Amino acid sequence: MTTVFEAAGGTTGILRLAHAWHARVMADEVVSHAFSHGFRPDHTERLAAYWSEALGGPAAYSGIYGDETSVVRIHSGNGEHDEMNRRAVDRFDEALVDAGLDRDDRLRGVLHDYFAWATWNTMYHHTTDDVAEGMSIPRWSWDGLEEP
């Protein structure tokens, strides 16, 4: 059986999804606020590396950029933002269509479930002080979250 990463087209497919999601987010007046402080020029490449690793691909993110702790700290300490979360997931679902990853219902559903889970459950802490050291990027398979 192939990984979710492979089914999504590997590095090329995930990078296409990251570019599509970023374009959708930047056009959304609520979600784009998260980028109002600016972002790295290689944001989509870093995002694609993260998603690739999380979805069963190579350790592209942790091997180059950092661990889960660094990712969660970047996203933490900004207060409640339920509307932003909902809209980010909606933009992800639209990006799946833009990237051509909506044609297989099972793949589309697994990608949606992963992104929604990550958005609502792992990325945001109230403060950066409660983010544990040395966290690994959570891995997601066809059956959902894998145990570490």
Side-chain angles (χ1 to χ4, degrees):
M1 172 175 271
T2 63
T3 64
V4 176
F5 167 78
E6 292 166 332
T11 301
T12 302
I14 297 295
L15 184 58
R16 194 171 58 246
L17 177 59
H19 279 290
W21 183 77
H22 190 76
R24 288 281 184 171
V25 163
M26 295 310 291
D28 184 292
E29 72 247 3
V30 173
V31 188
S32 64
H33 175 72
F35 296 97
S36 62
H37 62 281
F39 54 91
R40 295 173 177 263
D42 65 345
H43 176 260
T44 53
E45 289 78 11
R46 293 168 71 94
L47 179 60
Y50 181 88
W51 286 348
S52 293
E53 186 167 341
L55 296 170
Y61 190 90
S62 61
I64 298 169
Y65 303 113
D67 62 7
E68 180 73 358
T69 298
S70 64
V71 173
V72 174
R73 282 197 175 129
I74 289 169
H75 292 91
S76 294
N78 298 308
E80 295 293 325
H81 40 72
D82 290 345
E83 181 183 2
M84 185 182 294
N85 286 352
R86 278 191 295 280
R87 290 173 73 120
V89 173
D90 289 345
R91 300 302 78 83
F92 184 82
D93 289 343
E94 294 164 354
L96 289 171
V97 174
D98 298 342
L101 296 174
D102 64 319
R103 296 180 190 116
D104 178 316
D105 287 341
R106 184 173 182 222
L107 176 62
R108 181 192 47 72
V110 166
L111 290 170
H112 166 87
D113 291 348
Y114 161 72
F115 188 80
W117 171 82
T119 298
W120 288 99
N121 295 293
T122 66
M123 283 294 140
Y124 307 105
H125 291 241
H126 291 288
T127 71
T128 57
D129 296 337
D130 64 351
V131 179
E133 291 291 337
M135 296 188 320
S136 299
I137 294 173
R139 304 279 262 177
W140 196 264
S141 73
W142 293 104
D143 297 320
L145 181 63
E146 294 180 351
E147 293 299 319

